[in-house]
Each structure stands twice: as structure tokens, then as C-alpha cells.
Amino acid sequence: MPIPNRDHLEFICNHMNETFKIPFYLFDSKGELIFESSAGYRPNPLSTSTICDLGQLVKNENPSEYPLIKSTELLENYLVVNLKSGNSFIGSLIGGPSIFTDYSEDMLKRMSHDLGLFTDLDFIVFYYQSLPVIKNNDLTRIGIHVHYMIYHQLLDLDFVIQQNQQKEVQEILIENPDIELSLRRQNAKLHHDHLIEKKLLNAITKGNKEELFKSLRLIDEEFEYGVLSKKSQLRNVKNLAITAITLSTRAAMDGGLYPEIAYSLSDMYIQRLEELQDINEVKKLQAKAMEDFAARVHSSNKEHYSKPISICQNYIFNHVYENITLTSLSEIVELTPNYLSSLFKKEIGIALSEYIQKVKIEEAKNLLMLTSHSLSEICALLNFTDQSYFIKVFKKFTGVTPKHYKDTPIK
């Protein structure tokens, strides 16, 4: 079926630009811009490229017959619908940029640093806030809509998403995995024994540091680690360490460590690891992280509580900044408030309300020492409606006022 003429394609560009608030461009088969509808678009302050550079997304070699979603290193997303007349490729209709989600200032700052681009952060934030947020599935639906307007052909959403995923994998996967497997066997470059790895992770799950150290020594002495970066040994060691910390995080949670604690520890160690430039320091930090996970599991396993009480403790830890009530907790564990209150006092030794206060005061101690929040701000953050009451509760658990604690912290 022949595609619409130039006027109709320009109408589609204008219509999609007005409807979805993203620019739409029409390129010929050589990647030359022949029409644009980009009302309200501001250029990316991080980019030195021009609109015409979008023509690089135009592919006249085996052009796809379904909409494509392309993402750039600047985290912008573009929709590409190729134009064919019979078997001849004649160009592409491209829509974008948009983003899949809102980006935080910290993330945009890190991206700018990674790309070696130094621009006023306010301009960067303003630009990305001006871009429409369109989820991947919704952008694909827009592509299906454009495809239908051009070809009058219905496409299945799941099919188009699957085709895009397969194409991404093909573009990334340069080497044949089977060839790499063959070369490793020929050169006797085998990875560490899976059973040893299983034993190591099991040591973390059980909180057994002694068994953990034995397994680590055995892997270091008798087996090879994989190669996760061919260009940089430092990057390779960091990637291996990140993998080890990730596996340790899962093992620690299996051992009973609160997920929020486990994930936070993982984030902290990986962030610190990325700052290191010495291979030996990276290895030491990896071992320290795994030891820390095992130690915390060991500590948490000293106290064995029933499932409802463990669920309550985990919920209180994760929602310390919220107003937590006996009623809300009883609904979560599906017990009556009276029974939960009695069970909590029996297993923990203190009333549920007192336990909640205790957890909040522990968090208040951290906020006093590690942040610049004022006393009134901390009081509000932790859902204490009365500052004098907060001070009274703080003194009950610490023996001193918040001001005295901040000036002379009690360990």
C-alpha cells in the first residue's frame, strides 16, 4: 500500500506535535531533514548536536517495518517510524525527545559528569523538566498510532515491544557467546566452583563469618574470577565486587536482615566502591561489605520473633517518618489490635507504642548528628505534633535533651 503524500506526512507531524507536545520531524532516505513541527521545543543544553543529527537514526539498510524506540546517552527517547513505498525505503518520521520518568537533580548532575559536560545545573534541570514524561508502553502506542495513520495497518502492542527488545539485544551483543565459551574451555579459564559460591552465600545467610572467610580464601587461592571488563582491570574488579555485593544483599535478606537495611548497605558500599581508584582497596571493601552483611544477619538472628512481630518491626523501620498506629499494624498482620498488642509485649518486652517511640528516637539521634535539620524540623519529620512532648520522649530514652545530645553525643 502506498504511503500518504508529503502534505499528509506533514499533517501527521503537526497533529502529533500538537497532541503529544513532542517535536516531530520528517527525514528523507539520506537522513536529510525535510520538515519539522517542533513548537515549544528547547534544545538540550548538554548537547552540541543539531536537529539534523537526528537523521543518524534513519536507517536505509533493512529498515524495520514497526515503530522503533531509540534512547540517547542523554536519556532522551525518540520514536522512529520508517517510510517505505513498496520495497523502497524513502525516509523516516521521528518524534521526540521525551523521557520515561522525571529525573532528579542528583542524577542529572552525575550524567553531566560522566559525559564530561559542564553546564549550569539549573539550565539542565529546567530543560529536562520541560520534556514530556511518556512511559515506554505509551510511546510505543503513539508509534503504533502513527504507523496506522501512514499504512492503515494494525500492530499488536506486545509484538512491537518484543521486536524492539530483540533489536536492542542484537545491537548490544557483538560477540557470539558460544565462541567465548569455547575459547574459555580451550584455554582452561574456568570460573570458580558454583558450590563454593553457594557455600559462601550460605555463610552470609546464616550469619557465619568464619565460614565466609574460609570460602573467600578458597575462591582466591584455587579459582579464577570472570572477566567483566576487557578494557580496564580496575573496572573489571569493580564490576566483580558489585556482583558480589549484590549477591550478598540477597543472601542477607534470605537470612532475615530487613530488606531496607540490606538495600541501603548495598547502595552505600557500591557508591563508596565507585570512588576508589586502587584495585586492592576495592577488594578490601568487597570483603568488608560481605563481612558486614554476615555480622548483621548474625546479630538479627539472636532474636527470634514470630512472623507477625517481625513484619511489624520491618514496617516500623521502613515507615519511621509516618504516623504508625496499632490499628494500621493490626490490619497489616491480620490480627486484632488487642491480640497484637499483647503478643508484641510478650515477645519484645515493651509495649508497641513504646517500641515505635524508641525507633523514632533512634532516628532522631541520627538526624541530630548527621544533618543540619533544626529540632522543630526533626520533630515534624518524625510525626511528633508537639515539640515539648518530643523532648520529653527523647529524654526518656537517652537521659538527656536533644540539645544536650547534639552538643555531647552519647554513644
Side-chain angles (χ1 to χ4, degrees):
M1 181 180 293
I3 65 170
N5 60 32
R6 168 77 176 269
D7 289 341
H8 286 170
L9 291 174
E10 291 182 3
F11 169 80
I12 291 173
C13 288
N14 286 326
H15 173 70
M16 301 308 286
N17 173 231
E18 293 170 1
T19 303
F20 297 104
K21 309 306 179 187
I22 56 176
F24 270 80
Y25 307 95
L26 185 60
F27 291 87
D28 64 18
S29 60
K30 298 179 181 179
E32 297 292 331
L33 179 67
I34 56 179
F35 180 77
E36 69 175 280
S37 180
S38 54
Y41 173 68
R42 293 181 174 86
N44 191 330
L46 291 176
S47 176
T48 58
S49 63
T50 64
I51 294 298
C52 292
D53 291 330
L54 285 179
Q56 295 176 3
L57 298 177
V58 174
K59 301 291 184 182
N60 55 17
E61 295 179 3
N62 300 319
S64 67
E65 297 183 355
Y66 51 85
L68 293 172
I69 308 298
K70 295 287 188 178
S71 298
T72 70
E73 63 179 3
L74 296 177
L75 306 180
E76 299 164 308
N77 305 313
Y78 288 90
L79 168 68
V80 180
V81 178
N82 289 317
L83 304 174
K84 295 180 69 176
S85 180
N87 294 323
S88 301
F89 172 73
I90 62 172
S92 296
L93 193 151
I94 298 178
S98 63
I99 50 179
F100 289 149
T101 186
D102 289 317
Y103 299 134
S104 68
E105 290 188 18
D106 286 342
M107 191 279 293
L108 293 172
K109 185 176 181 180
R110 291 194 299 270
M111 181 185 71
S112 304
H113 178 271
D114 290 343
L115 296 173
L117 303 172
F118 303 98
T119 305
D120 191 316
L121 185 61
D122 289 338
F123 287 114
I124 299 172
V125 173
F126 180 74
Y127 168 74
Y128 280 93
Q129 287 179 343
S130 72
L131 295 181
V133 177
I134 304 177
K135 301 296 184 183
N136 182 63
N137 285 6
D138 291 334
L139 190 58
T140 305
R141 289 188 179 95
I142 294 173
I144 291 173
H145 182 60
V146 172
H147 182 92
Y148 183 80
M149 292 173 73
I150 296 173
Y151 297 105
H152 301 289
Q153 177 188 20
L154 292 174
L155 295 176
D156 178 70
L157 175 64
D158 291 336
F159 168 78
V160 176
I161 291 175
Q162 183 180 29
Q163 293 300 313
N164 269 273
Q165 291 173 342
Q166 291 177 354
K167 192 170 186 67
E168 288 177 2
V169 171
Q170 291 172 356
E171 291 174 352
I172 294 172
L173 199 60
I174 300 173
E175 297 181 0
N176 189 320
D178 291 326
I179 294 176
E180 178 65 21
L181 287 171
S182 177
L183 290 173
R184 290 192 70 87
R185 292 199 300 273
Q186 291 174 33
N187 297 312
K189 290 184 176 180
L190 303 179
H191 288 76
H192 56 271
D193 191 337
H194 172 63
L195 293 177
I196 299 297
E197 178 185 293
K198 195 171 182 179
K199 192 173 182 180
L200 183 150
L201 296 175
N202 189 52
I204 294 176
T205 300
K206 291 183 176 180
N208 190 332
K209 290 201 296 183
E210 183 178 346
E211 193 63 39
L212 170 68
F213 291 141
K214 287 181 181 178
S215 298
L216 282 173
R217 285 197 298 270
L218 188 58
I219 290 179
D220 286 337
E221 292 171 2
E222 298 187 17
F223 298 96
E224 274 198 42
Y225 289 101
V227 178
L228 301 185
S229 175
K230 291 184 176 182
K231 296 182 178 180
S232 166
Q233 180 59 8
L234 176 61
R235 184 69 263 166
N236 180 59
V237 174
K238 283 186 177 183
N239 289 345
L240 288 167
I242 290 171
T243 302
I245 291 172
T246 301
L247 291 173
S248 299
T249 304
R250 290 348 184 238
M253 289 190 291
D254 289 341
L257 190 62
Y258 289 164
E260 187 59 31
I261 294 178
Y263 286 132
S264 297
L265 283 174
S266 175
D267 291 347
M268 180 193 74
Y269 278 115
I270 291 175
Q271 288 167 10
R272 175 66 184 123
L273 179 150
E274 287 292 357
E275 296 172 357
L276 300 177
Q277 299 301 317
D278 182 271
I279 289 176
N280 290 325
E281 292 299 318
V282 173
K283 291 180 178 179
K284 289 177 183 177
L285 185 66
Q286 174 190 330
K288 170 62 180 173
M290 299 176 81
E291 176 191 353
D292 193 4
F293 278 117
R296 289 175 185 269
V297 170
H298 177 74
S299 177
S300 67
N301 284 344
K302 287 182 179 179
E303 303 168 332
H304 297 284
Y305 300 122
S306 63
K307 185 175 180 180
I309 300 306
S310 295
I311 291 173
C312 286
Q313 288 180 310
N314 189 41
Y315 183 89
I316 293 168
F317 178 85
N318 289 337
H319 298 81
V320 67
Y321 290 97
E322 300 174 17
N323 182 32
I324 307 169
T325 65
L326 172 61
T327 302
S328 63
L329 289 172
S330 65
E331 291 174 353
I332 292 171
V333 296
E334 299 180 342
L335 296 174
T336 65
N338 286 339
Y339 182 73
L340 175 60
S341 179
S342 175
L343 182 64
F344 199 94
K345 179 70 178 290
K346 179 182 177 180
E347 293 193 23
I348 304 299
I350 60 175
L352 178 57
S353 58
E354 187 176 359
Y355 180 84
I356 294 172
Q357 288 180 343
K358 182 180 178 181
V359 174
K360 285 180 176 288
I361 295 306
E362 286 300 314
E363 188 68 9
K365 288 160 64 176
N366 291 330
L367 294 174
L368 283 168
M369 299 309 302
L370 303 176
T371 74
S372 59
H373 287 308
S374 66
L375 185 61
S376 60
E377 289 173 334
I378 294 174
C379 181
L381 281 170
L382 293 171
N383 267 278
F384 283 91
T385 55
D386 183 81
Q387 187 168 316
S388 61
Y389 178 65
F390 169 70
I391 295 173
K392 180 181 178 180
V393 174
F394 190 95
K395 191 171 182 179
K396 170 186 173 182
F397 287 100
T398 66
V400 296
T401 64
K403 184 178 185 306
H404 186 273
Y405 180 85
K406 185 175 180 65
D407 294 339
T408 55
I410 298 174
K411 300 294 185 180

